[in-house]
Amino acid sequence: MKIGLFGGSFDPVHLGHLFVARAAREEAGLARLFFIPAAQSPFKPEAQPAPAAERLRWLRLALAGDTTAEVDDQEIRRGGPSYTIDTVRAYARTYPAAELFYLIGADQTAQLRLWREAGELARQVQFLVIPRPGDGPAELAAPFSGRVLRGVPLGVSSSEIRARLKAGLPVEHLTPPAVAEALANNRLYL
Ligand code: ATP
């Protein structure tokens, strides 16, 4: 069984994320796909993301009715900096026979070698890279293996959504309607 793992801050989740998920499922033939929000990104130690409970709630709203994607809150429950290798080891224990794939946007490929226990991570998973507008070529360098998906680059980011909300601009075209409504009903990013 091919299992896809999609980690990120999801602060908030947006159409780019959903697009990545669809491309990975279709092009790599994933049987299951887990969205795994981080408690704290090790690369953004001073960042103060929206509360984990909210980021989880938005993800669940975004994926409601989607039978091929699930939300996994293990990194939130663990707390502290979220290291992908810990999460990947947990999946390897739970699904010993599965082939594990880790989804990333092209902006992440250059810093993969800085991820904790990068060599071990490279042995445990194959990466699925989705091109992202504004980012250079998305090739994976050794020791990492996997493939670059075709997809169709979608220029949406969480930072753009946060900036627009701060400026009082609409975000309905950037995130699913239920998430846009939830964002409009709180003032987290003001
Ligand atoms: P921010 O703007 O706050 O940096 P983000 O939009 O990159 O956030 P994250 O939650 O940090 O969102 O991203 C999680 C993963 O999804 C990362 O691997 C990122 O590269 C990827 N990703 C996010 N948006 C896109 C997109 N539009 N196209 C391809 N990959 C994306």
Side-chain angles (χ1 to χ4, degrees), residues 6 9-10 14 17 20 105 107 132 154 156-159 162:
F6 189 20
S9 302
F10 303 109
H14 55 68
H17 295 128
V20 166
D107 56 307
R132 210 171 168 176
L154 197 61
V156 183
S157 68
S158 298
S159 3
R162 295 194 300 272

Side-chain angles (χ1 to χ4, degrees), residues 46-99:
E46 69 299 330
Q48 297 258 337
E54 288 302 304
R55 291 184 289 121
L56 264 175
R57 191 167 72 89
W58 299 329
L59 268 173
R60 292 193 171 118
L61 287 171
L63 298 174
D66 185 336
T67 52
T68 52
E70 299 156 70
V71 183
D72 173 3
D73 66 353
Q74 67 166 279
E75 293 188 353
I76 303 278
R77 281 187 279 110
R78 237 180 357 253
S82 302
Y83 296 108
T84 299
I85 187 65
D86 297 336
T87 306
V88 163
R89 284 199 172 110
Y91 275 90
R93 276 194 299 274
T94 310
Y95 304 99
E99 212 180 335

Side-chain angles (χ1 to χ4, degrees), residues 1-7 21 24-25 28-36 68-70 72 74 87-88 90-103 124-128:
M1 176 170 62
K2 293 182 172 183
I3 293 184
L5 310 178
F6 189 20
R25 281 200 304 257
L30 303 177
R32 294 179 76 178
L33 173 58
F34 294 89
F35 282 67
I36 312 167
T68 52
E70 299 156 70
D72 173 3
Q74 67 166 279
T87 306
V88 163
Y91 275 90
R93 276 194 299 274
T94 310
Y95 304 99
E99 212 180 335
L100 298 179
F101 292 84
Y102 202 87
L103 282 54
Q124 299 256 0
V125 298
Q126 295 170 63
F127 285 88
L128 297 175

Side-chain angles (χ1 to χ4, degrees), residues 87-157:
T87 306
V88 163
R89 284 199 172 110
Y91 275 90
R93 276 194 299 274
T94 310
Y95 304 99
E99 212 180 335
L100 298 179
F101 292 84
Y102 202 87
L103 282 54
I104 52 170
D107 56 307
Q108 300 291 314
T109 49
Q111 59 169 357
L112 269 186
R113 58 189 178 78
L114 303 177
W115 289 21
R116 177 172 277 201
E117 293 188 57
E120 180 57 20
L121 188 60
R123 278 187 286 281
Q124 299 256 0
V125 298
Q126 295 170 63
F127 285 88
L128 297 175
V129 187
I130 293 84
R132 210 171 168 176
D135 283 289
E139 276 95 54
L140 285 161
F144 305 102
S145 64
R147 54 191 275 214
V148 178
L149 301 183
R150 249 178 313 109
V152 177
L154 197 61
V156 183
S157 68

